[in-house]
């Protein structure tokens, strides 16, 4: 529930002041403040307190006073007070959060500078013009390290910096120079064995794990043959594909394969010509570049 204005402290960092607003101005469950800079009211900020001990933040700074850091300083004051224990004069909340339109860059920067971590994205469906919309969920909890702690700054950066998907694959050949290829259950074309690198997992470990899980083969990953950038395609985001050398194995290795039926339909050693016939163009180009052994880096196999 909201606290009466007379029961709320004035908050300040010297340059920005949060002055309590009268109860009810922003709803029965909101604790609201005027934002002052230079002695003038330039915006509002509030936290709506829920029964679960969490709060939802909202704020607005007049456009004429934007781009001066007032919003982030005001929001940081409100966040710090909201998460401070009641015995120390705060609201004693366990968590505060905010939802910001995905295309609202200034508000996202304000929330991040106030110490809110990016936690996820909610899709809202199309607007009146048929354009898709998204909201970014940001939050902070009471036991997060203070913003003065270097680890807190690193964690904030980590929460919103781009994350690139990585795929690790293995180039295994038989004595005739044919390439081990897999027919996958979730697409018609064939591909090199391997898969997505898990969070915190090295690509070398990932490709070894994938061959064990999907084919029942233990093949230590050798040197890196190729790094291939994959552009967005058919519902997939872009990714980096790292192709490791799996060396040469006997042709009858395929008879010992134990397929993971959920993902693998078949596995065979294919000539480069058959790879070209059965794989997508960009997969065939990647295999051909890896076979050359000295390309180093390609984009979609080129």
């Amino acid at each position: 529930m909201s606290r009466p204005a007379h029961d709320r402290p004035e908050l300040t960092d010297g340059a920005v002041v949060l002055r309590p607003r009268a109860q009810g101005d922003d709803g029965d469950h909101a604790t609201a403040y005027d934002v002052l800079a230079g002695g003038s009211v330039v915006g509002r900020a509030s936290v709506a307190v829920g029964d679960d001990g969490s709060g939802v933040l909202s704020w607005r700074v007049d456009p004429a006073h934007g781009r001066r850091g007032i919003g982030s300083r005001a929001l940081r004051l409100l966040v710090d007070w909201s998460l401070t224990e009641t015995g120390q004069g705060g609201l004693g909340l366990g968590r505060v959060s905010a939802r910001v339109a995905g295309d609202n860059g200034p508000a996202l920067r304000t929330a991040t500078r106030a110490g809110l971590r990016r936690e996820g994205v909610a899709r809202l469906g199309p607007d009146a013009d048929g354009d898709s919309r998204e909201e970014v969920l940001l939050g902070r909890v009471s036991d997060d390290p203070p913003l003065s702690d270097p680890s807190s700054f690193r964690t904030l950066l980590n929460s919103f910096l781009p994350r690139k998907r990585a795929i690790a694959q293995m180039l295994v050949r038989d004595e005739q120079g044919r390439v081990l290829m897999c027919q996958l259950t979730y697409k018609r074309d064939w591909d090199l064995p391997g898969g997505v690198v898990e969070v915190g997992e090295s690509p070398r470990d990932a490709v070894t794990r994938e061959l064990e899980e999907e084919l029942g083969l233990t093949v230590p990953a050798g040197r890196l043959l190729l790094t291939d950038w994959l552009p967005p395609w058919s519902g997939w985001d872009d990714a980096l594909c790292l192709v490791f050398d799996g060396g040469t194995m006997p042709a009858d290795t395929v008879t010992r394969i134990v397929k993971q039926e959920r993902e693998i339909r078949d596995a065979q050693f294919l000539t480069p010509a058959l790879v070209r016939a059965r794989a997508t163009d960009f997969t065939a180009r990647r295999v051909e570049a890896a076979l050359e052994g000295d390309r180093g880096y390609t984009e979609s196999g080129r």
Side-chain angles (χ1 to χ4, degrees), residues 138-289:
L138 304 104
R140 188 167 181 83
V141 296
S142 57
D143 60 354
D144 281 343
L147 294 182
S148 57
D149 189 317
S151 67
S152 181
F153 178 68
R154 292 193 294 268
T155 302
L156 277 173
L157 287 177
N158 188 62
S159 74
F160 69 83
L161 286 175
R163 299 186 181 188
K164 187 79 69 179
R165 180 178 292 116
I167 299 168
Q169 294 185 327
M170 189 90 78
L171 182 72
V172 179
R173 285 159 283 189
D174 67 2
E175 302 97 326
Q176 302 175 47
R178 297 179 300 178
V179 178
L180 182 62
M181 298 288 289
C182 296
Q183 184 183 29
L184 307 177
T185 59
Y186 50 88
K187 58 181 182 179
R188 293 184 177 180
D189 50 276
W190 292 57
D191 207 343
L192 290 169
V196 175
V197 180
E198 302 290 346
V199 176
E201 181 181 39
S202 82
R204 190 185 300 273
D205 289 344
V207 72
T208 300
R209 171 185 56 76
E210 286 284 347
L211 264 74
E212 291 176 346
E213 291 178 354
E214 297 185 351
L215 302 177
L217 298 177
T218 300
V219 185
R223 69 186 183 94
L224 180 65
L225 297 173
L226 183 71
T227 299
D228 186 31
W229 177 70
L230 311 179
W233 176 78
S234 190
W236 293 101
D237 290 339
D238 71 320
L240 288 175
C241 183
L242 295 92
V243 183
F244 291 88
D245 189 358
T248 301
M249 301 184 71
D252 64 0
T253 297
V254 294
T255 64
R256 297 187 284 106
I257 285 176
V258 180
K259 300 189 298 293
Q260 185 185 70
E261 301 292 343
R262 184 169 56 87
E263 294 194 31
I264 307 296
R265 283 200 182 98
D266 197 4
Q268 298 178 18
F269 282 108
L270 303 181
T271 64
L274 277 177
V275 171
R276 170 61 64 177
R278 296 186 183 184
T280 59
D281 286 343
F282 58 81
T283 298
R285 290 195 299 267
R286 186 186 322 127
V287 172
E288 291 160 1

Side-chain angles (χ1 to χ4, degrees), residues 92-144:
L93 302 183
R95 168 183 167 81
V96 290
S97 64
R99 286 179 175 266
V100 178
D103 59 357
N104 190 342
L108 290 171
R109 288 190 291 273
T110 294
T112 301
R113 290 167 181 164
L116 302 180
R117 299 184 192 178
R118 181 178 176 131
E119 297 178 341
V121 177
R123 295 177 299 153
L124 303 181
D127 59 18
D129 296 324
D131 297 324
S132 60
R133 298 175 299 148
E134 292 182 341
E135 274 189 346
V136 178
L137 174 64
L138 304 104
R140 188 167 181 83
V141 296
S142 57
D143 60 354
D144 281 343

